[in-house]
Amino acid sequence: MTETITGSRLSLSTDGARNLATTTKSVPQMQGISSRWLLRLLPWVGVGGGVFRVNRRVVYSPGSGRVSFADEGDTLRVVPPSLGELPLLRGFDDEEVLTGLAQRFVQREYNAGDTLVEAGADADAIFIVAHGKVSKLGQGKYGDNTVLGVVADGEHLGDQVLGQSEGTWGATARADTAVTAMVLSRADFEEIVGRSEDLRAHVDELLSHAAIPKNAHGEASIDVAAGHSGEPDLPGTFVDYELSPREYELSVAQTVLRVHSRVADLYNEPMNQVEEQLRLTIEALRERQESEMLNNADFGLLHNVEHGQRIHTRSGPPTPDDLDQLLATVWKQPSFFLAHPKAIAAFGREASHRGVYPTSIDVSGNKVPAWRGVPIYPSNKIPVSDAGTTSILLIRAGEESGGVVGLQPTTLPDEYQPGLSVRFMNVNEKAIISYLVSAYYSVAPLVSDAIGVLENVELGRHHDED
Amino acid sequence: MTEPQTEPAPLSLGTAGARNLATTLKSVPQMQGISSRWLLRALPWVEVGGGTFRVNRRATYAAGSGRVSFTVAADSVQVVPPSLAELPLLRGFDDEDVLAGLAGRFRQREFAAGEELATAGAPANSMFLVAHGKVNRVGATKYGDQRVLGTVSEGEAIGQELLTGNGITAEETARAITRVIVLEVTRDDLQRVLSEAPELAAHVIVSQADQRAPRNRHGESEIDLSAGHDGEPDLPGTYADYELAPREYPLSVAQTVLRVHTRVADLFNEPMDQVEHQLRLTVEALRERQESELINNPDFGLLHNVDLKQRVHTRSGPPTPDDMDDLITRRRKTQYFFAHPRAIAAFGQECTRRGIYPEPVEHEGSVVPSWRGVPLLSCNKIPISDTGSTSILALRTGQENQGVIGLQPAKLPDEQQPGLSARFMGVTDKGILQYLVSAYYSVAALVPDAYGILENIELGRVD
């Protein structure tokens, strides 16, 4: 203690007192912990044998995916294996033939407002949109213009063109933005088909599926006679299943946690050092788990949305109209939206701009924003691209409703939490204790219309104050 | 985790090998075609013991659907002669030759949006049948402004009173609000047909007399009452007259023969019963079909039996809150709306455009959109035409409300679920088990105003 010149202290200072007192300490804090709504909202199914098989009715109209492109300066090239995503080439994997096809694509540029194809004109080529948005326009009952749909990055116009010998375009396609399209004419396609026996056989087989009666979802139909009178022969039927159903193996997120034995042995009052190390490691693993369940290229939800369930924003920012449109894709009892917090803010801005104030709903004590009564949960794991675009997911959860379920192992040795085990590994020569921390998980949509996604959601577009 | 560039030789058993020893967890077979089937859940089901349900009503003079049909060949539209008998004044007339002669007098004409087919106060020289498009009936308000009395659309007639020889001057203006194709017949041509076919003229006179019989505004024959009288006047004697040929609804059927090979049924039953799941999915398909039939069946389906007064047309095209209000006012106690999911999205967009956020309501544990507190339920069985037009249904349900009811049989042999039976048919020579799966159902509206439709909803329209 230092005596000051102005006068001697009359009592003990706080600095002195601290040396006798015990400081109250917080447990170690971590910024990376999020609310992890996806993990909390999904129903979890215990998988005993490490694999979950989703049996479905056989589907004869193969969904279509997206074709990818490689950028070479100003010219684009179709990535040959990704051509297998076109409905007519679905499952075809002869790389040589696909490369031949990919080389026949011609790149064309359009400005916003240009017409790609005209309704009624001869359809003799397939257009794959490499970049930009294209609207399909039709005519309403009384002759007004209507928008039938939007086609964007990697999607295509005119898959029926390649299979038929002739036909006309059913709808006009107009570029909404600057558009780069890759075009393959029917003549080129047929020339390649003529050269490859395999491709011919593949195309013929897929075309023969067109004749099989099926329902609106492409499932082989269950024949039913209805409203008949008299004694007609009744149709005989059976329900066919997919022969090679999709199987989901449990994925894993793992790490080895190391704690020095001197730390673990001695510095344990009032907090257990190993426990705190473990707690934070588990938080990091769970964060990673949520991220993988959304973004994993194999089973992640964002990569497993059917073609028909992907829609695009009309203008750019997420508007109430876009969310209404999204609700029409997962219309059978949707459970929740999942969006990046910035996308939720952008949506709120769009709602306010239209003078609409959607009421929040109460979910176990939390006020959650909602649209048409379906809660919108934030998740920072949904990626935002450099250009500021993101996606909004709409999910139906639950096993009975054919929705999305989370998968986790039923029991684990040394289970610490459901689906997570902490196993003591060893103490090495440096006296470091190692623990193996593993989380096992996967996620599966039981029926493909359980997820819908709104894509090309642009963030940061503000309305000027009038 | 990132894969190393070159895989070293594995040191332990891989997952692919381990899987061969493990039991895979299997989902039951999933089916995309299963929908929420709100209509089947919303209707109260009345058990029909004898296979037929008869709806007894008070005698009505109102004439039925009132829609004429057309054939379109290339650009020329022609009226289907027997369907002319749907016009109230020609109701029940069945001399095909005369109707064909009348049909032959119609000439096709087109009007652009905004043009007037008839003008109030001007001489009315033609009767029109609308083949395509929408026409507003415009009258005057108390203070001389124009007001829309109603909208006339495909199959309906304008200026029918010409048949009776009345209607020298038009009472209301008829203005096309879209491009309109009509079939026109002039007064002179009509008079010629009537004079050539006296039986037609006689039929019109009888129909007209029927229309003048005392009746309430629903067309039911009047129950005479006296009210607010003083002194000792003679009280009116009365009785409630019933329809002599009431409508009967026989139960309709959806059937199929489910086939399962005995080897499949006998052996492959762990952990799931194969026959049970074949049956489960077949029943789902039957129920989906049942819902579709309740809406679309040409005989008893709701879309085909709606009363003329219960058909509302959209004012502009997309389903607006105003249109929904129009639809709601046509009956007491509207309980449900049914619409295609895309129509619901379009309605939501129209609300947003007006800055309105209708509160969603809770319905059987799900949160659904609503309008004026009436839940708006999705139903993908309501058709959307190639040109993107669809309908929205508004329903009052229940016998005690005189609403719409579903009909199902009281008791079935081998009943699996209410109204659905699965009956073992036998084993064929090929060793295939056969089950006859049947669903029996129908739907009836007890009074005509139990439900209504908003028609000509255009989806995806851009302005």
Side-chain angles (χ1 to χ4, degrees), chain A residues 195-275:
Chain A
R195 271 195 249 149
S196 162
E197 252 338 279
D198 287 353
L199 184 55
R200 172 91 273 162
H202 181 86
V203 168
D204 284 348
E205 196 202 326
L206 282 187
L207 286 178
S208 71
H209 287 172
I212 298 174
K214 40 191 178 281
N215 67 13
H217 306 282
E219 296 170 336
S221 66
I222 301 176
D223 292 332
V224 171
H228 49 277
S229 54
E231 295 171 348
D233 281 339
L234 294 178
T237 197
F238 65 98
V239 188
D240 209 355
Y241 305 143
E242 261 179 350
L243 280 186
S244 46
R246 170 123 194 218
E247 298 192 338
Y248 293 86
E249 272 188 70
L250 290 183
S251 182
V252 65
Q254 277 183 321
T255 187
V256 176
L257 172 66
R258 288 190 292 251
V259 186
H260 200 285
S261 56
R262 209 165 76 187
V263 170
D265 291 349
L266 301 180
Y267 297 85
N268 281 329
E269 279 301 327
M271 281 173 252
N272 186 320
Q273 294 284 354
V274 177
E275 206 171 88

Side-chain angles (χ1 to χ4, degrees), chain A residues 401-461:
Chain A
S401 55
V404 178
V405 292
L407 307 175
Q408 66 183 20
T410 35
T411 52
L412 280 174
D414 297 315
E415 190 167 82
Y416 193 78
Q417 288 175 1
L420 189 139
S421 76
V422 178
R423 194 174 286 187
F424 173 73
M425 291 167 74
N426 57 16
V427 184
N428 69 6
E429 286 81 3
K430 295 195 176 77
I432 291 172
I433 311 173
S434 300
Y435 294 92
L436 176 66
V437 190
S438 329
Y440 298 95
Y441 53 85
S442 190
V443 60
L446 296 182
V447 172
S448 56
D449 67 4
I451 337 172
V453 64
L454 175 67
E455 297 193 318
N456 293 328
V457 173
E458 291 176 34
L459 303 178
R461 296 224 319 211

Side-chain angles (χ1 to χ4, degrees), chain B residues 127-264:
Chain B
M127 167 178 151
F128 300 99
L129 298 174
V130 180
H132 180 83
K134 289 195 283 190
V135 178
N136 268 355
R137 290 166 44 218
V138 181
T141 64
K142 188 173 170 188
Y143 303 108
D145 298 321
Q146 291 196 335
R147 75 186 183 109
V148 175
L149 304 170
T151 305
V152 177
S153 175
E154 281 87 13
E156 295 168 18
I158 299 169
Q160 284 181 72
E161 59 277 5
L162 256 68
L163 274 171
T164 64
N166 298 333
I168 305 296
T169 55
E171 285 175 6
E172 35 188 63
T173 301
R175 182 176 301 136
I177 51 175
T178 64
R179 189 178 73 98
V180 173
I181 301 172
V182 293
L183 292 177
E184 179 185 33
V185 61
T186 60
R187 180 183 291 273
D188 297 344
D189 280 346
L190 266 181
Q191 289 309 326
R192 217 161 289 143
V193 173
L194 287 172
S195 57
E196 279 165 17
E199 66 271 29
L200 182 65
H203 187 93
V204 168
I205 290 168
V206 171
S207 305
Q208 204 183 0
D210 266 356
Q211 289 194 344
R212 292 211 187 107
R215 53 187 176 151
N216 65 14
R217 62 190 181 86
H218 302 292
E220 296 168 341
S221 61
E222 198 73 78
I223 298 179
D224 289 332
L225 301 170
S226 155
H229 46 274
D230 269 329
E232 295 170 349
D234 280 341
L235 295 181
T238 193
Y239 65 100
D241 202 1
Y242 301 143
E243 263 180 348
L244 285 184
R247 169 120 197 220
E248 296 192 341
Y249 293 87
L251 289 180
S252 183
V253 64
Q255 278 184 318
T256 189
V257 177
L258 174 66
R259 292 190 290 238
V260 187
H261 200 285
T262 41
R263 207 162 80 183
V264 168

Side-chain angles (χ1 to χ4, degrees), chain A residues 137-320:
Chain A
L137 305 176
Q139 270 208 333
K141 189 171 173 187
Y142 301 115
D144 306 294
N145 285 334
T146 55
V147 176
L148 304 174
V150 176
V151 177
D153 309 349
E155 296 168 358
H156 59 270
L157 290 165
D159 53 316
Q160 77 286 1
V161 170
L162 300 184
Q164 301 162 341
S165 51
E166 57 186 14
T168 55
W169 291 104
T172 301
R174 197 187 57 201
D176 287 346
T177 62
V179 169
T180 308
M182 301 296 279
V183 184
L184 173 70
S185 71
R186 183 193 287 133
D188 282 345
F189 178 72
E190 269 166 11
E191 194 194 323
I192 301 271
V193 171
R195 271 195 249 149
S196 162
E197 252 338 279
D198 287 353
L199 184 55
R200 172 91 273 162
H202 181 86
V203 168
D204 284 348
E205 196 202 326
L206 282 187
L207 286 178
S208 71
H209 287 172
I212 298 174
K214 40 191 178 281
N215 67 13
H217 306 282
E219 296 170 336
S221 66
I222 301 176
D223 292 332
V224 171
H228 49 277
S229 54
E231 295 171 348
D233 281 339
L234 294 178
T237 197
F238 65 98
V239 188
D240 209 355
Y241 305 143
E242 261 179 350
L243 280 186
S244 46
R246 170 123 194 218
E247 298 192 338
Y248 293 86
E249 272 188 70
L250 290 183
S251 182
V252 65
Q254 277 183 321
T255 187
V256 176
L257 172 66
R258 288 190 292 251
V259 186
H260 200 285
S261 56
R262 209 165 76 187
V263 170
D265 291 349
L266 301 180
Y267 297 85
N268 281 329
E269 279 301 327
M271 281 173 252
N272 186 320
Q273 294 284 354
V274 177
E275 206 171 88
E276 291 304 321
Q277 284 284 309
L278 204 55
R279 186 177 65 82
L280 295 180
T281 309
I282 289 174
E283 292 287 355
L285 271 179
R286 290 294 196 199
E287 292 290 325
R288 178 63 180 266
Q289 172 178 352
E290 193 188 29
S291 165
E292 290 283 309
M293 284 170 65
L294 286 169
N295 296 312
N296 186 291
D298 179 31
F299 60 83
L301 291 179
L302 283 171
H303 295 271
N304 280 284
V305 184
E306 285 264 311
H307 176 71
Q309 300 286 105
R310 291 172 186 272
I311 59 167
H312 303 278
T313 53
R314 289 198 188 173
S315 49
T319 61

Side-chain angles (χ1 to χ4, degrees), chain B residues 59-107:
Chain B
T60 347
Y61 296 111
S65 86
R67 288 210 161 181
V68 179
S69 351
F70 303 92
T71 52
V72 182
D75 275 343
S76 98
V77 181
Q78 279 179 327
V79 64
V80 178
S83 75
L84 279 173
E86 292 289 333
L87 293 176
L89 283 174
L90 301 181
R91 185 86 180 157
F93 187 78
D94 54 4
D95 188 333
E96 291 226 6
D97 292 340
V98 176
L99 288 178
L102 178 57
R105 299 284 178 167
F106 282 92
R107 294 283 167 270

Side-chain angles (χ1 to χ4, degrees), chain B residues 13 113 128 175 297 311 318 327 378 382 403:
Chain B
L13 178 68
F128 300 99
R175 182 176 301 136
N297 186 294
R311 294 173 194 266
L327 185 58
S378 47
I382 298 177

Side-chain angles (χ1 to χ4, degrees), chain B residues 332-333 335 396-403 446-447:
Chain B
R332 64 191 152 95
K333 204 178 171 184
Q335 285 169 304
R396 176 179 74 233
T397 64
Q399 230 169 347
E400 61 291 350
N401 292 329
Q402 298 179 299
L446 295 182
V447 293

